[in-house]
Amino acid sequence: MPVKEVGITVTEHLLREQRETPYATGAFTQLLNELIVAAKIIHREVSKAGLVDILGSTGSRNVYGEQVQKLDDFANHTIIRRVMHTGHVCAIASEEDADIVEVPQEYPRGPYILLIDPLDGSSNIDVNASIGTIFSIHRRLKDDGPVTLDEVLRKGSEQVAAGYFIYGSSTMLVYSTGKGVNGFTLNPGLGEFLLSHPNITMPERGKIYSVNEGNYAYWDEPVRRYVDYLKTPDPETSRPYTSRYIGTLVGDFHRNLLKGGIFMYPADRKDPKKPRGKLRLLFEAAPLAFIAEQAGGTASDGSRRILDLEPETLHDRVPLFIGSKDDVVTAEKFLSGEL
Ligand code: P6P
């Protein structure tokens, strides 16, 4: 793989990847470019959220019963509108919609199924903390006809691509098509995403842990013992780890991707309706697990590899332990009782 020149545009990078991919039709390149346009539009609104009446909630609630922020709605509709017309997508599944949004048969359709968390961490919008857009792309199983649920309820290992946009101190795109992970930073003056983090590799072990310790009383004993272990001084294993928690999965994951460490959202007994924790398998855990593994990290539900999990419903939730390989393996040893 030729050395990747920092500073090239994401379009140039996509075209290079396309040239290196046998039989690539350019469909993926065009689909990702539309996602990039959508992200630029969302970035524009996010960056002025405090100035216009786009803050606050719509008053409606999503399938999880969560208050839907106006920017959530805006991001969701922006992405769906952009990709609907590419001719490369046959269906979109969104964290914000109860059911699959199928591209009408009279539209040009293609082989890709797009799954999105349009605005992850939206509860942080009003306090100006990082938020993000997560995407996952599968190739459908059938050649044509209506999209069926079994074509969407796929294992994460079958993803053809996954990534996220993070709207933070800068706006970045991080994605993988299965050939490593690259990061692009939006140059607002140019309106272009430029390669800023080529071949991202997650450190084998970190010194940061990210978890909402407010849920400590609701965790199972092994989880508590693991977090207590991370907080117990031991110079040989760089403990105590530093605690960092933004409350936006994309923001917490992105920091640990670059610096190493572990992010956890364990199962907890806080809400009987969410015994498997809060995060969604298809829209959050699986795409970020794809990125983590491509960067040399790993992701599990505490015992099983996230990318091996078979979704049962569109909105399955799953416990998530994701980050540096050594850290996730240690967490799994606590959860299995080995440590
Ligand atoms: P808690 C945001 O609402 C989100 O889905 C993730 O982005 C984030 O990691 C998690 O929830 C935060 O949840 O319970 O710690 O506020």
Side-chain angles (χ1 to χ4, degrees):
M1 174 75 71
V3 174
K4 296 180 179 173
E5 298 130 46
V6 169
I8 63 168
T9 66
V10 64
T11 302
E12 192 175 346
H13 183 268
L14 279 164
L15 291 173
R16 288 187 184 187
E17 273 201 338
Q18 183 183 313
R19 282 195 293 274
E20 290 154 9
T21 308
Y23 320 116
T25 63
F28 173 75
T29 298
Q30 290 172 38
L31 173 54
L32 193 58
N33 271 322
E34 285 304 327
L35 282 173
I36 287 166
V37 172
K40 289 177 183 174
I41 295 168
I42 294 166
H43 161 258
R44 185 191 61 199
E45 294 309 307
V46 164
S47 57
K48 63 183 181 183
L51 301 173
V52 296
D53 178 29
I54 200 160
L55 278 180
S57 67
T58 60
S60 64
R61 291 187 175 276
N62 64 18
V63 291
Y64 309 101
E66 294 165 344
Q67 195 76 36
V68 177
Q69 298 279 7
K70 287 180 181 176
L71 262 176
D72 270 315
D73 257 355
F74 175 82
N76 195 37
H77 293 130
T78 298
I79 295 169
I80 291 173
R81 232 184 351 259
R82 293 302 316 181
V83 304
M84 268 290 198
H85 303 288
T86 57
H88 301 304
V89 174
C90 54
I92 299 142
S94 169
E95 185 184 288
E96 296 301 327
D97 295 316
D99 302 308
I100 304 168
V101 177
E102 185 161 1
V103 175
Q105 298 279 351
E106 60 272 19
Y107 278 49
R109 291 157 45 103
Y112 292 118
I113 296 171
L114 174 69
L115 297 96
I116 52 171
D117 177 357
L119 209 58
D120 171 62
S122 55
S123 56
N124 274 327
I125 293 172
D126 296 352
V127 296
N128 203 21
S130 296
I131 51 183
T133 295
I134 305 173
F135 61 89
S136 165
I137 299 173
H138 283 280
R139 180 181 288 277
R140 74 171 307 185
L141 300 170
K142 302 166 190 162
D143 292 335
D144 55 22
V147 176
T148 50
L149 196 55
D150 65 303
E151 295 187 272
V152 184
L153 300 184
R154 307 271 287 283
K155 289 194 297 186
S157 55
E158 296 174 30
Q159 292 173 99
V160 295
Y164 58 86
F165 295 91
I166 179 168
Y167 312 103
S169 47
S170 63
T171 290
M172 279 192 70
L173 161 63
V174 175
Y175 82 90
S176 174
T177 57
K179 291 177 277 189
V181 179
N182 291 291
F184 303 80
T185 301
L186 180 64
N187 177 323
L190 287 179
E192 285 284 354
F193 281 94
L194 305 180
L195 181 64
S196 54
H197 298 67
N199 300 318
I200 298 175
T201 304
M202 194 185 277
E204 281 280 314
R205 183 183 198 95
K207 300 175 183 174
I208 297 170
Y209 76 102
S210 308
V211 68
N212 182 346
E213 295 208 49
N215 295 331
Y216 187 91
Y218 301 107
W219 294 336
D220 292 340
E221 182 56 27
V223 175
R224 294 185 199 168
R225 287 196 305 107
Y226 173 59
V227 173
D228 292 343
Y229 162 83
L230 293 177
K231 293 156 76 169
T232 305
D234 174 45
E236 281 185 24
T237 51
S238 310
R239 289 181 290 136
Y241 276 23
T242 294
S243 171
R244 288 286 183 274
Y245 194 73
I246 298 171
T248 295
L249 174 58
V250 167
D252 284 314
F253 174 79
H254 184 70
R255 178 198 53 247
N256 295 1
L257 174 70
L258 300 183
K259 295 190 171 183
I262 183 169
F263 171 92
M264 297 168 263
Y265 207 105
D268 62 52
R269 293 185 295 278
K270 188 174 182 179
D271 181 345
K273 294 194 298 294
K274 304 175 191 172
R276 296 268 294 153
K278 177 177 184 182
L279 300 183
R280 293 77 172 187
L281 173 56
L282 284 172
F283 303 110
E284 293 169 312
L288 296 188
F290 186 85
I291 297 287
E293 290 201 5
Q294 283 293 314
T298 188
S300 88
D301 66 356
S303 58
R304 295 171 301 164
R305 181 182 178 232
I306 290 289
L307 296 185
D308 290 338
L309 299 182
E310 292 272 3
E312 292 174 9
T313 72
L314 201 53
H315 297 282
D316 273 0
R317 295 177 192 271
V318 67
L320 182 61
F321 297 78
I322 188 169
S324 295
K325 193 169 288 183
D326 287 1
D327 290 304
V328 174
V329 167
T330 301
E332 290 175 335
K333 286 179 177 176
F334 272 86
L335 271 69
S336 68
E338 187 179 336
L339 290 178

